[in-house]
Every structure is written in C-alpha cells, then in structure tokens.
Amino acid sequence: MLKAQPNISMESCSYRHVLEIISNKWTALAIYAMEDGTIRYGEMMRRIEGVSQKMLTQTLKQLERDGVVNRKLIPSVPPVTEYSLSPLGESLIPIMRMLKVWAADNYDSVLEAREEYDSQRVRVKNEVSSK
C-alpha cells in the first residue's frame, strides 16, 4: 500500500504564516485599538489593558514589518508617534470582527467542552488508579 504524500506543509502554508501574525493576543488587541483610525502610542497603551510598554512596542514593530501597520513619527517635544492600519491591515478588520463574533457566540460552548473533557479525564484517571 502506498503511503500518501503530505499535502500540508509547515513551510509552504501561507495560512500558517498569516495565523502567526494575527493569533498573538497583543496583535489582535492592537489591531482593535487602531480599528477606528490613527492612534497615538500613549493612547494605545491606555486602551489595551495589561500590555507592557515592551510588549506593545515589539507587537507594533512586528505589525509594521508585516505591512499591517503604518508608523508616523511627529517631531515635537516630546516626540509623538502615531499608528494606523495600512490598507493591508484594514483588510483584516472584517476577518477579526468575524472571529470576535464567533468567540462571543461560542466561548461558553468551548468552556463547557473543556470542563467535560477534563472531568472525563479525571474520572478515567481515578478508575485506573483505583484498580
């Protein structure tokens, strides 16, 4: 019997590469922060609960590198940095909204499934250990 050749490749799968961009929680939150237009760095820091300055800076640099975000430095004292979504980044908004709706509609089901799975695992473990 011939073994099927793999048709899903980690290297050639552009889907995987795109997921790397948007699957980070800080990336998604930064994109949501820019959804309504240009935003200053300090305002973004205030809007995104729990993000550190280092993490936000790294996230924005990566998004800029990926072509999702535009960065504008305004020479002033102190300097002001503004961020906005590029056209490529704006094209992500409908997709991110759909993910947000799916999460809101289905997260309770995910939690229930996790609890069910975990309780079954505990039950099986207890049965095995009691033998």
Side-chain angles (χ1 to χ4, degrees):
M1 184 167 194
L2 292 173
K3 184 177 176 183
Q5 292 294 320
N7 63 357
I8 301 171
S9 166
M10 292 293 284
E11 292 303 313
S12 65
C13 183
S14 59
Y15 173 74
R16 178 187 70 90
H17 296 295
V18 170
L19 280 177
E20 286 176 359
I21 295 169
I22 64 170
S23 65
N24 177 292
K25 71 178 178 181
W26 301 120
T27 297
L29 296 175
I31 289 171
Y32 288 136
M34 292 178 275
E35 182 177 12
D36 294 327
T38 301
I39 186 169
R40 290 183 175 189
Y41 181 88
E43 177 63 19
M44 196 177 315
M45 276 291 300
R46 287 187 289 280
R47 288 195 60 202
I48 302 174
E49 180 181 2
V51 71
S52 68
Q53 184 174 354
K54 177 182 177 183
M55 187 53 63
L56 182 57
T57 299
Q58 287 176 349
T59 299
L60 291 169
K61 281 183 182 182
Q62 185 62 49
L63 289 171
E64 185 180 8
R65 180 177 181 254
D66 292 335
V68 174
V69 166
N70 294 320
R71 178 179 178 266
K72 181 179 179 183
L73 182 61
I74 300 169
S76 61
V77 179
V80 174
T81 307
E82 294 181 335
Y83 291 89
S84 61
L85 294 172
S86 67
L88 181 62
E90 288 175 359
S91 73
L92 278 170
I93 293 299
I95 297 159
M96 301 293 285
R97 284 182 184 149
M98 286 175 28
L99 283 170
K100 195 175 187 179
V101 167
W102 184 91
D105 290 347
N106 295 288
Y107 193 66
D108 288 342
S109 297
V110 170
L111 290 178
E112 288 173 20
R114 287 179 180 177
E115 289 173 8
E116 174 72 20
Y117 178 88
D118 291 346
S119 69
Q120 287 178 1
R121 302 282 294 171
V122 168
R123 219 177 5 255
V124 168
K125 185 178 177 183
N126 288 340
E127 289 172 7
V128 170
S129 65
S130 67
K131 290 183 180 182

